Amino acid sequence: MTAYSKQPGPIGVFDSGYGGLTILHGIRQLLPEYDYLYLGDNARAPYGSRSFDVVYQFTRQAVMKLFDLGCHLVILGCNTASAKALRTIQQNDLPKLDPDRRVLGVIRPTAEVIGKLTQSRHVGVLATEGTIKSHSYKLEIQKLWDDVTVTGIPCPLWVPIIENNEADTPGADYFVKKRIDLIMERDPQIDTLILGCTHYPILMPKIQKHVPKNVQIVAQGEYVAESLKDYFRRHPDMDARCTKHGSVKYFTTENPEKFKETARIFLHEQVDVEHVDLE
């Protein structure tokens, strides 16, 4: 077992790239008093098309780095990591690394609320190829709401569009409309659409424009934040292990200047960031 510090520390938020910044933003809106460390594995992103094994190895390295940096609780603010690595880390790694530390994902909190949101009991998921292929949303939703039909469609070009700052262009319109038309064609009864990738809220104006009026769009930030607040209420011992000075630090495996530039698309503010190695 690794000897990690027992001192209280910040909440870790991990993502393969920048999308987890939308999760961090949602959490900080609701829980501004806590300290946060954000770690983006930008040098090896995107994870969406990588194999289960590679995503697991990369995610495990990131979780261990955040534990090293003093975090007792890590949130995988990445759907692909939540889909492909979370369960193995929770079941196999945490007991060996430190049974008192916790790693949570972003899929379960969304699955928990979805049954209360859909009237037609038909739900759509727009996500990366890796998340769709893992069927994680379908499995998590149907565990809790077995009467809900789930249809998933991969949107492979949406992340590159966002990260290249093209989200406001006519080209983005074309690719957003194409995927929304496709999922509504697959199941015209869908009344609730989950944005199953944390980048996608950046495309919200385009998505709203092309989604039928009767369909509600579910972005994950607020649900993950609510779920975390509830988690602390149920686990006061973990709450006590999270420091509260309202600070946030950013780390990237990529060039810090590049991170700063792209992070501005997500956060609309200038951030300081440090470089870290995970391997």
Side-chain angles (χ1 to χ4, degrees), residues 21-34 36 221-226 228-229 248 266-269:
L21 293 170
T22 63
I23 296 293
L24 176 62
H25 177 72
I27 294 172
R28 286 181 71 204
Q29 297 281 99
L30 189 66
L31 303 167
E33 68 275 22
Y34 291 82
Y36 299 94
E222 61 180 294
Y223 299 109
V224 173
E226 286 289 352
L228 181 59
K229 187 178 180 180
V248 59
F266 290 84
L267 297 173
H268 310 292
E269 62 174 314

Side-chain angles (χ1 to χ4, degrees), residues 83-148:
K84 293 184 171 183
L86 178 62
R87 185 151 296 166
T88 311
I89 287 171
Q90 286 174 334
Q91 292 175 353
N92 298 359
D93 294 305
L94 284 182
K96 297 175 206 155
L97 292 170
D98 184 339
D100 292 331
R101 279 173 157 73
R102 292 287 173 268
V103 180
L104 306 174
V106 288
I107 293 174
R108 177 101 189 168
T110 315
E112 282 171 353
V113 297
I114 213 71
K116 300 170 193 163
L117 300 176
T118 172
Q119 299 295 307
S120 69
R121 317 313 279 166
H122 288 253
V123 169
V125 181
L126 298 166
T128 64
E129 196 184 333
T131 299
I132 297 299
K133 276 189 175 161
S134 74
H135 301 293
S136 294
Y137 272 97
K138 189 174 188 163
L139 294 168
E140 285 294 335
I141 290 168
Q142 290 180 339
K143 238 187 260 174
L144 301 165
W145 316 96
D146 60 4
D147 61 330
V148 172

Side-chain angles (χ1 to χ4, degrees), residues 4 17 28 46 66 74 77 115 117 129 131 154 175-176 178 184 197 201 225:
Y4 293 115
R28 286 181 71 204
L66 285 164
V74 172
L117 300 176
E129 196 184 333
T131 299
F175 289 111
V176 168
K178 199 173 174 185
M184 295 311 299
C197 169

Side-chain angles (χ1 to χ4, degrees), residues 41-62:
D41 188 12
N42 307 83
R44 301 188 293 195
Y47 283 12
S49 55
R50 290 187 182 272
S51 70
F52 269 72
D53 196 47
V54 168
V55 171
Y56 162 64
Q57 295 299 345
F58 287 0
T59 305
R60 185 175 180 274
Q61 287 170 352

Side-chain angles (χ1 to χ4, degrees), residues 11 13 17 64 69 98 118 140 159 162 172 178 195 203 223 227 242 249 253 262 272 276 278:
I11 297 167
V13 178
M64 288 169 74
L69 291 166
D98 184 339
T118 172
E140 285 294 335
V159 169
I162 293 160
K178 199 173 174 185
L195 304 185
L203 288 167
Y223 299 109
S227 178
C242 296
K249 282 185 180 171
T253 56
T262 310
D272 287 324
V276 290
L278 295 184

Side-chain angles (χ1 to χ4, degrees), residues 34-35 179 186 266:
Y34 291 82
D35 296 323
R179 288 293 157 178
R186 289 262 172 100
F266 290 84

